C-alpha cells in the first residue's frame, strides 16, 4: 500500500517510465558480463530475466457507471467507451522523455525454469466515454446540485449550457431508469486517459513451437494469467463541473494473456499478443471532496512489444 500511496501523492509516472526505459536500453550492455553463463540455445531460459516494452490498442465492454456524492446518487447504464491511441509521431515515440504518452506496456519476467515464469509490469491503457451516445439513467439528483455545478462550469460545457439550458436541467429529481439522455460535455465527460494503469503480476508458461537447428532463433507460444491493482488518473466533468484528478488507487483487475513470440540471437525477441480480462473500479475520483464514481467492465488489448533476455 505504501507504493500506491507514493503514486497517489507524487503522480510521478513520467519519471518511472523514463527510468524503466533507460534501464531497458542498458540491458544489452549489462548482459555482456563475462561471468554470466552463455545459454546454448533460446530454450535455456532458467534463471534469466526478460524485459520488454510495447504498445497496445484496447477495447471495452459497456458498463454501468455509478455516481455518488452529497445530494446525489445515480447510475448511467450501458455506457460505451473506447481507447485513445496516440497518432504516430517520431518526436513522441522516439523521445525517451515522452514514452509514457502513448498506450504502452512494460513487463519484467523471471524464468524459474526453462518453461515457467513470473512476470510483473504495467499496462497503460486509456478509457474515454464516447460523446453523443444516448443512455438510460436512474437515481436521484438534488436540483441544488445541478444549480451549484453551473457556478463552476468548464469551458467545454459552457456552449452547451448556453445554447441548451434545459438539457442539463432534466437531470434534477428522481429517475426510475426509463429516462434517456444524450451524453454531451454539459452532461458528462468521463476519461481515464493518463490513464487506466493495470499493475499486474502474472504466472505463465512458454511452449516452443519451432527452434532453428543452431538454437539461436525460434517461435514460441506464451500464455499467462494474473491480477493486480488499477491506478487511474480520471478526468471527469459532471453536469459541467469537474477536474483532472490525481493518480489514485481505484480498483483491481484480473486477466489472461496469449502471445506468439519470435526469439533471435538468444538476446532479442518480438511478441504479438492479446490480453483479455475484467476490471472493477470501486473508487474513482470525480469532482473533488467526497464525490466518487464506480464501474466495472471487460477489456481486450492487442499488444505488440519487443525486448531483451539477460
Amino acid at each position: 500500500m505504501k507504493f500506491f500511496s507514493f503514486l497517489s501523492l507524487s503522480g510521478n509516472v513520467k519519471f518511472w517510465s523514463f527510468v524503466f526505459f533507460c534501464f531497458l536500453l542498458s540491458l544489452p550492455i549489462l548482459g555482456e558480463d563475462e561471468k554470466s553463463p552463455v545459454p546454448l540455445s533460446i530454450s535455456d531460459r532458467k534463471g534469466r530475466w526478460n524485459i520488454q516494452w510495447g504498445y497496445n490498442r484496447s477495447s471495452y465492454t459497456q458498463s454501468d457507471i455509478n455516481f455518488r456524492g452529497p445530494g446525489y446518487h445515480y447510475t448511467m447504464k450501458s455506457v460505451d467507451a473506447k481507447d485513445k491511441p496516440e497518432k504516430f509521431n517520431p518526436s513522441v515515440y522516439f523521445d525517451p522523455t515522452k514514452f509514457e504518452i502513448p498506450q504502452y506496456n512494460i513487463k519484467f519476467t523471471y524464468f524459474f525454469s526453462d518453461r515457467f515464469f513470473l512476470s510483473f509490469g504495467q499496462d497503460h491503457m486509456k478509457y474515454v466515454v464516447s460523446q453523443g451516445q444516448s443512455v438510460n439513467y436512474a437515481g436521484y439528483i438534488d436540483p441544488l446540485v445541478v444549480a451549484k455545478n453551473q457556478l463552476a462550469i468548464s469551458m467545454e460545457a459552457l456552449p452547451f449550457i448556453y445554447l441548451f439550458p434545459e438539457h442539463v436541467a432534466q437531470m434534477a429529481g428522481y429517475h426510475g431508469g426509463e429516462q434517456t439522455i444524450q451524453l454531451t460535455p454539459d452532461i458528462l465527460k468521463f476519461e481515464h486517459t493518463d490513464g487506466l494503469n493495470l499493475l499486474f503480476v502474472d504466472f505463465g508458461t512458454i511452449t516452443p513451437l519451432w527452434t532453428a537447428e543452431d538454437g539461436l532463433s525460434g517461435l514460441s507460444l506464451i500464455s499467462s494469467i494474473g491480477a493486480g491493482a488499477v491506478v487511474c488518473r480520471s478526468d471527469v466533468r459532471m453536469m459541467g463541473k469537474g477536474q483532472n484528478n490525481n493518480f489514485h488507487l481505484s480498483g483491481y483487475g484480473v486477466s489472461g494473456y496469449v502471445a506468439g513470440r519470435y526469439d533471435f540471437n538468444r538476446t532479442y525477441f518480438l511478441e504479438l499478443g492479446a490480453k483479455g480480462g475484467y476490471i472493477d473500479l470501486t473508487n474513482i475520483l470525480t469532482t473533488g471532496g467526497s464525490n466518487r464514481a464506480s464501474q466495472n467492465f471487460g477489456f481486450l488489448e492487442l499488444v505488440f512489444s519487443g525486448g531483451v533476455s539477460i
Side-chain angles (χ1 to χ4, degrees), residues 138-183:
Y140 174 72
I141 303 172
D142 191 321
L144 292 177
V145 172
V146 178
K148 184 178 180 181
N149 283 10
Q150 309 313 299
L151 301 177
I153 199 74
S154 66
M155 291 303 297
E156 56 197 324
L158 187 59
F160 290 87
I161 296 294
Y162 179 75
L163 295 173
F164 312 104
E166 296 303 317
H167 191 213
V168 70
Q170 67 180 288
M171 294 288 293
Y174 289 95
H175 307 283
E178 294 78 22
Q179 292 87 349
T180 299
I181 196 163
Q182 188 176 33
L183 298 188

Side-chain angles (χ1 to χ4, degrees), residues 118-254:
L118 285 174
S119 62
F120 62 93
Q122 177 188 0
D123 291 352
H124 175 74
M125 298 174 278
K126 298 187 179 185
Y127 178 100
V128 179
V129 167
S130 302
Q131 289 291 309
Q133 64 179 299
S134 294
V135 301
N136 290 345
Y137 60 106
Y140 174 72
I141 303 172
D142 191 321
L144 292 177
V145 172
V146 178
K148 184 178 180 181
N149 283 10
Q150 309 313 299
L151 301 177
I153 199 74
S154 66
M155 291 303 297
E156 56 197 324
L158 187 59
F160 290 87
I161 296 294
Y162 179 75
L163 295 173
F164 312 104
E166 296 303 317
H167 191 213
V168 70
Q170 67 180 288
M171 294 288 293
Y174 289 95
H175 307 283
E178 294 78 22
Q179 292 87 349
T180 299
I181 196 163
Q182 188 176 33
L183 298 188
T184 49
D186 56 328
I187 300 299
L188 181 67
K189 174 186 177 183
F190 191 88
E191 303 180 355
H192 312 300
T193 49
D194 202 21
L196 181 67
N197 300 294
L198 174 59
L199 309 177
F200 64 86
V201 177
D202 279 5
F203 169 78
T205 181
I206 182 168
T207 304
L209 301 177
W210 168 81
T211 304
E213 291 185 3
D214 59 7
L216 300 181
S217 61
L219 294 172
S220 304
L221 177 68
I222 301 284
S223 56
S224 64
I225 56 173
V230 178
V231 175
C232 291
R233 187 178 186 187
S234 304
D235 190 351
V236 180
R237 306 291 188 276
M238 296 167 47
M239 294 170 286
K241 178 187 176 183
Q243 61 191 24
N244 191 6
N245 293 280
N246 294 324
F247 290 96
H248 185 72
L249 179 59
S250 303
Y252 69 92
V254 294

